[in-house]
């Protein structure tokens, strides 16, 4: 729990970057707002049609007693909405980082300058595109898993929601720290070892970010702070890691 709290604290430190570089941070709101509004419209549209979707995917329950029809279709609707939220959060992060590459590169560099020397290796659009596709693919996998768990009557919705937040939080931390770690020559496998070595801290940062993203338009406000906080988290992971995990 101490590590988890430290991870949450990294996001809080990211918000503190508004005091140091308000202009740089404000620019990071632009791509987040564009992507956020598009995805929010999609989620709202899904919610409107959700009862019909739940009915369409559970035709086998048509002849059941009314109470069981309601239970099954509520579970199906909750699972569908939960999976959609997972995909929306992951897609938001991936697409915002891709579209806003120049903006978030400035935030990253401003943090690196404060912490010390800026690494010479550039993240680049091509790398951002590859990471975007990979993150969305992994997010779809998490969404399918949480949807299946959510179909379990009574407890499935709660368990699926918790599982979705934890797994999506892990994906967000993995993606958000990739810029700072890649710039230091840390490849994907090494990054995973670093995150596993400080699992609690990684989850604390990712879960806190994920929960903020679930607030309407919260993702827009949080994204610049998440980029700044993840840079500080990445340098902390490297500083604390034993040489064998690098």
């Amino acid at each position: 729990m101490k590590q988890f709290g430290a991870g949450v604290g990294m996001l809080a430190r990211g918000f503190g970057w508004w005091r140091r570089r308000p202009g740089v941070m404000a620019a990071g709101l632009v791509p987040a707002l564009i992507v956020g509004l598009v995805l929010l419209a999609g989620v709202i549209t899904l919610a409107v049609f959700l009862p019909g979707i739940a009915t369409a995917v559970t035709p086998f329950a048509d002849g059941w007693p009314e109470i069981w029809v309601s239970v099954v279709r509520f579970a199906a609707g909750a699972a569908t909405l939960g999976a959609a939220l997972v995909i929306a959060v992951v897609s938001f992060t991936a697409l915002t980082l891709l579209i806003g590459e120049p903006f978030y590169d400035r935030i990253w560099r401003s943090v690196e300058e404060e912490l010390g020397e800026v690494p010479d290796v550039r993240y680049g659009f091509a790398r951002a595109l590859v990471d975007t596709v990979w993150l969305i693919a992994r997010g779809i996998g998490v969404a399918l898993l949480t949807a299946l768990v959510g179909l379990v009557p009574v407890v499935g919705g709660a368990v699926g929601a918790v599982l979705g937040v934890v797994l999506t939080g892990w994906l967000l931390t993995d993606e958000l720290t990739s810029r700072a770690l890649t710039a230091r020559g840390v490849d994907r496998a090494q990054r995973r070892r670093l995150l596993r070595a400080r699992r609690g801290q990684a989850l604390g940062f990712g879960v806190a970010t994920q929960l903020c993203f679930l607030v309407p338009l919260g993702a827009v406000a949080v994204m610049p702070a998440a980029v700044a906080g993840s840079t500080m988290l990445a340098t902390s992971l490297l500083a604390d890691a034993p040489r064998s995990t690098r």
Side-chain angles (χ1 to χ4, degrees):
M1 291 304 298
K2 185 177 179 181
Q3 280 193 23
F4 190 91
V8 175
M10 285 293 180
L11 180 60
R13 289 177 63 187
F15 277 107
W17 213 251
W18 279 97
R19 293 194 305 271
R20 291 185 171 90
R21 301 292 180 87
V24 173
M25 294 289 280
L29 295 174
V30 176
L33 180 61
I34 295 171
V35 177
L37 288 175
V38 172
L39 291 178
L40 180 61
V43 171
I44 292 174
T45 301
L46 174 66
V48 170
F49 291 98
L50 197 58
I53 294 173
T55 300
V57 299
T58 56
F60 53 85
D62 287 342
W64 292 7
E66 186 62 30
I67 185 172
W68 291 113
V69 172
S70 299
V71 168
V72 168
R73 288 180 175 164
F74 177 82
T80 301
L81 183 60
L85 287 174
V86 169
I87 294 174
V89 168
V90 172
S91 299
F92 169 82
T93 304
L95 294 174
T96 302
L97 289 174
L98 178 65
I99 295 171
E101 164 63 21
F103 300 97
Y104 299 120
D105 184 73
R106 290 181 62 196
I107 295 175
W108 168 69
R109 288 182 178 278
S110 70
V111 177
E112 294 285 12
E113 287 170 359
E114 184 84 8
L115 297 177
E117 185 178 354
V118 180
D120 291 334
V121 180
R122 291 189 61 83
Y123 188 67
F125 180 82
R127 178 57 188 268
L129 180 60
V130 171
D131 283 349
T132 294
V133 174
W134 179 233
L135 178 60
I136 292 175
R138 294 166 70 197
I140 291 172
V142 170
L144 290 174
L145 175 61
T146 56
L148 289 174
V149 173
L151 291 174
V152 178
V154 185
V155 298
V159 174
V162 172
L163 183 65
V165 168
V166 171
L167 293 180
T168 306
W170 181 267
L171 292 183
L172 293 180
T173 301
D174 186 27
E175 175 64 18
L176 287 165
T177 56
S178 64
R179 179 186 299 270
L181 293 176
T182 299
R184 289 171 169 79
V186 177
D187 61 25
R188 184 176 287 112
Q190 291 172 313
R191 185 169 78 241
R192 304 285 161 69
R193 287 198 294 271
L194 285 170
L195 293 174
R196 284 195 295 267
R198 304 285 291 182
R199 191 183 304 273
Q201 193 172 7
L203 281 174
F205 179 84
V207 168
T209 303
Q210 155 78 330
L211 292 176
C212 289
F213 279 11
L214 293 177
V215 177
L217 296 182
V220 176
V222 171
M223 194 63 188
V227 173
S230 65
T231 304
M232 290 181 267
L233 174 60
T235 57
S236 174
L237 292 174
L238 280 172
D240 295 341
R243 190 174 298 275
S244 59
T245 62
R246 303 184 188 181

